[in-house]
Amino acid sequence: MNSKLPMTDVLIIGAGLAGMSAALSLPPQLRVTLLSKSRFEECASAWAQGGIAAVLDAGDSVAKHVQDTLIAGAGLCDEAAVRQILEQAPAAMAWLQGHGVPFSCNADGSLHLTREGGHGQRRIAHAADRTGHAVHTALLQACQSRSNLTLLENTAALALLQDAGGPCTGACTGAWLRMADGSEQQLQARHTILATGGMGQIYPYTTNPGTATGDGLAMAWRAGCRLQDLEFMQFHPTALQINGKAAGLVSEALRGEGALLKLPNGERFMLRHDERAELAPRDIVARAIWAEMAEHGLAYVHLDISHQSRSWLEQHFPGVMALCAAHGIDIASQPIPVAPCAHYACGGIQADVDGRTEVPQLYAIGEVARTGLHGANRLASNSLLECVVMGRAAAQHIAGQPLDSSYKLHSNYRNPDNGFSGKSSSNIEQELRQLMLTHVGIVRSNQGLARAAEQLALWRAQLQDIDAALRNQLDVCTLMVHAALQRQQSVGAHCNSDYPTREMLAA
Ligand SMILES: Cc1cc2nc3c(=O)[nH]c(=O)nc-3n(C[C@H](O)[C@H](O)[C@H](O)COP(=O)(O)OP(=O)(O)OC[C@H]3O[C@@H](n4cnc5c(N)ncnc54)[C@H](O)[C@@H]3O)c2cc1C
């Protein structure tokens, strides 16, 4: 164990869009340390395809964007937070453009806006179908040029440090880290920001990067933060399926442009499930595909956009075309094998729009946070927006705190946790993911959730000396199962067959 106690003014755990937005918005006189558990590119932000929702058209209004968001959230959004975040969208877009993000533009130089499911207007700014890559590249370059930022790749936070108050009351004073060379050390910080992204990796099929194991959620919970809405895991209906694995996302914009969902025999099926067919909301399409796969014993269904010409596809969907081509699929002439998979965590660490949590000096921003913007179901393209707005707001809040020169960082920490070098069991990780898919997947039941809770309790009791990564996943899965058991209704992304909705009974 390295006993040195280095210090930083602000420790940002996570270098996706939320973390980088905060880092770039902090005053240059603050020393900032920005961590990425893996390589910088290994984050959901860099992988996003569709775009960023913002009211930028004269015919649109914040009130309409708010309304669309509340409808998607199925009545469980926090309307004040929704309004606060969406009002900031034009400023967030201007800030991104100021950092040189090359958004797609019209011939007159204005931003090209596209439309996505659930949005009543054209309000999605994008960079072709590789928006995340464009945003991430521009911001990473900006971070690399700032002398007050220290960027550390392959460095994982394992637990949060707290002063004498301990969980619930003790202020957060940094984190316990595993460095790129495998050594472990504490890094003390005046302010700590969790920007660790989602938790899709607790399922066997996910669009999320390998880093999305819910570390931030587990660390915050152990430090005394409340987690909320964890039961609302959004499943994306169309992930590319190759050899039984999710190989990437096939944007729902394809369905917006007329792509049809079919069984392998060529038969369309969406009209059997919803009169809006392929353009029904994301959760309905995901459940319909899931039901067809179960009924016909399929590992995937087909998404067919071959009615569009090759040149049109090259212009509109270069990313999806390249992704499929890398797996030998020519989307201009062949259907794409797709299946639903875990995509977005609507819930997370309870935080306000400035990212403030219930633990002093600890902030949570981006996908790891729960502000109330998404309610029971995220409206497409609101999440990248939330990252930028919260990152900037958290930075502004920190900048407003007095920089007390007499501020003392403590040196006699208790070891925040045991077992960092414990056993990692890939067998259990696989079993855990399968358990989550079977019992806490797209359609749940009380009996299945109870079974999952029982198995998780057994593992938690049996496995004392385990690696931090596995322990985080066990904690997060347990909290999610309990949240799902408590939600005694089917709403938004949480569907329990013991509480059928009218729409489920009709299908
Ligand atoms: C394929 C895909 C497409 C998407 N498309 C869109 C879209 O078009 N529009 C939209 O609005 N949203 C989209 N989303 C959702 C959106 O991309 C994410 O919600 C958003 O990027 C999350 O950003 P973030 O900064 O919170 O987390 P991420 O971008 O995931 O970054 C998390 C960071 O935390 C780090 N980290 C994690 N754990 C630790 C740890 N223990 N220690 C240190 N570092 C850690 C990771 O290394 C990473 O740097 C998409 C998501 C995916 C997966």
Side-chain angles (χ1 to χ4, degrees):
M1 177 74 58
N2 185 338
S3 60
K4 269 195 311 184
L5 290 172
M7 293 181 192
T8 188
D9 291 319
V10 185
L11 169 62
I12 305 178
I13 304 172
L17 182 54
M20 289 199 292
S21 297
L24 290 167
S25 305
L26 283 162
Q29 66 273 21
L30 293 184
R31 289 164 306 155
V32 179
T33 305
L34 183 62
L35 307 183
S36 167
K37 184 160 79 165
S38 178
R39 290 182 318 112
F40 288 124
E41 291 71 24
E42 183 88 359
C43 64
S45 299
W47 295 10
Q49 296 176 350
I52 303 180
V55 171
L56 298 166
D57 184 84
D60 198 4
S61 69
V62 173
K64 288 181 189 168
H65 192 180
V66 167
Q67 198 52 28
D68 291 343
T69 301
L70 296 179
I71 291 170
L76 294 181
C77 298
D78 174 339
E79 192 169 341
V82 172
R83 196 171 301 281
Q84 250 180 299
I85 291 173
L86 302 188
E87 274 171 358
Q88 289 300 316
M93 284 301 300
W95 183 81
L96 288 171
Q97 286 181 285
H99 280 291
V101 178
F103 287 106
S104 299
C105 288
N106 298 310
D108 64 1
S110 60
L111 284 178
H112 179 262
L113 302 175
T114 180
R115 192 167 163 176
E116 281 185 344
H119 289 274
Q121 305 282 325
R122 283 190 168 266
R123 65 167 74 100
I124 315 300
H126 62 105
D129 66 347
R130 287 171 166 156
T131 308
H133 176 73
V135 171
H136 191 266
T137 305
L139 294 197
L140 184 57
Q141 272 172 13
C143 284
Q144 283 162 340
S145 70
R146 292 280 172 102
S147 58
N148 67 321
L149 303 188
T150 303
L151 275 62
L152 299 175
E153 269 187 315
N154 299 309
T155 303
L158 304 170
L160 298 172
L161 304 174
Q162 283 176 283
D163 70 14
C168 301
T169 53
C172 180
T173 50
W176 197 284
L177 309 182
R178 182 184 288 149
M179 311 306 288
D181 64 3
S183 65
E184 290 176 7
Q185 71 176 46
Q186 299 169 4
L187 178 61
Q188 296 188 65
R190 294 170 193 275
H191 302 279
T192 302
I193 301 180
L194 285 167
T196 49
M199 56 174 169
Q201 287 291 335
I202 62 173
Y203 290 92
Y205 308 112
T206 179
T207 58
N208 290 190
T211 51
T213 47
D215 296 359
L217 296 163
M219 287 190 281
W221 176 65
R222 289 197 295 267
C225 289
R226 215 165 3 130
L227 306 187
Q228 225 173 311
D229 293 349
L230 290 190
E231 65 275 32
F232 300 123
M233 168 57 74
Q234 194 173 64
F235 283 76
H236 196 287
T238 54
L240 175 64
Q241 289 298 302
I242 301 293
N243 299 329
K245 287 210 170 97
L249 186 64
V250 181
S251 164
E252 62 186 308
L254 268 79
R255 280 181 283 123
E257 297 295 349
L260 299 177
L261 283 161
K262 297 176 179 173
L263 296 174
N265 66 8
E267 180 191 337
R268 264 185 90 187
F269 57 82
M270 270 313 300
L271 275 165
R272 283 205 293 275
H273 298 268
D274 192 286
E275 59 189 15
R276 290 161 290 185
E278 277 79 2
L279 296 179
R282 204 175 253 201
D283 54 321
I284 293 177
V285 178
R287 279 199 294 275
I289 296 176
W290 191 251
E292 294 288 337
M293 283 168 50
E295 187 181 333
H296 300 284
L298 302 169
Y300 53 80
V301 296
H302 281 156
L303 182 68
D304 191 353
I305 193 158
S306 60
H307 64 282
Q308 297 282 10
S309 72
R310 185 176 301 279
S311 58
W312 188 93
L313 289 168
E314 277 165 357
Q315 191 192 343
H316 289 84
F317 295 112
V320 173
M321 228 176 164
L323 171 71
C324 292
H327 295 283
I329 299 161
D330 171 22
I331 69 171
S333 61
Q334 290 172 291
I336 309 167
V338 294
C341 68
H343 184 53
Y344 185 81
C346 298
I349 304 163
Q350 180 59 40
D352 67 11
V353 175
D354 292 342
R356 279 182 297 173
T357 70
E358 290 158 312
V359 169
Q361 288 156 230
L362 179 66
Y363 295 75
I365 59 175
E367 189 168 340
V368 77
R370 184 270 179 202
T371 56
L373 171 64
H374 308 299
N377 212 352
R378 173 189 67 128
L379 180 63
S381 290
N382 269 355
S383 37
L384 289 177
L385 171 65
E386 188 184 39
C387 290
V388 182
V389 171
M390 290 190 84
R392 279 159 44 89
Q396 207 176 348
H397 190 268
I398 288 171
Q401 308 293 306
L403 196 59
D404 181 0
S405 56
S406 67
Y407 179 89
K408 271 224 167 76
L409 289 165
H410 302 258
S411 59
N412 58 338
Y413 289 108
R414 68 193 167 88
N415 183 337
D417 248 314
N418 295 316
F420 293 145
S421 55
K423 290 186 214 92
S424 159
S425 167
S426 56
N427 277 352
I428 291 189
E429 266 185 49
Q430 274 175 25
E431 281 180 46
L432 176 66
R433 289 175 182 155
Q434 200 50 50
L435 180 87
M436 292 301 287
L437 182 69
T438 309
H439 297 306
V440 203
I442 294 182
V443 181
R444 303 151 184 188
S445 70
N446 286 338
Q447 196 187 31
L449 290 171
R451 253 190 230 152
E454 216 174 288
Q455 181 59 57
L456 285 163
L458 205 67
W459 278 329
R460 280 160 65 86
Q462 283 170 354
L463 300 169
Q464 297 299 328
D465 178 29
I466 52 169
D467 186 74
L470 178 55
R471 188 197 46 213
N472 283 343
Q473 290 177 59
L474 280 175
D475 284 349
V476 168
C477 291
T478 303
L479 292 165
M480 191 178 191
V481 168
H482 284 286
L485 276 166
Q486 276 170 23
R487 177 76 59 191
Q488 296 182 356
Q489 64 181 141
S490 288
V491 58
H494 172 68
C495 176
N496 183 330
S497 56
D498 289 311
Y499 311 109
T501 59
R502 236 179 293 155
E503 163 215 298
M504 284 159 70
L505 290 171

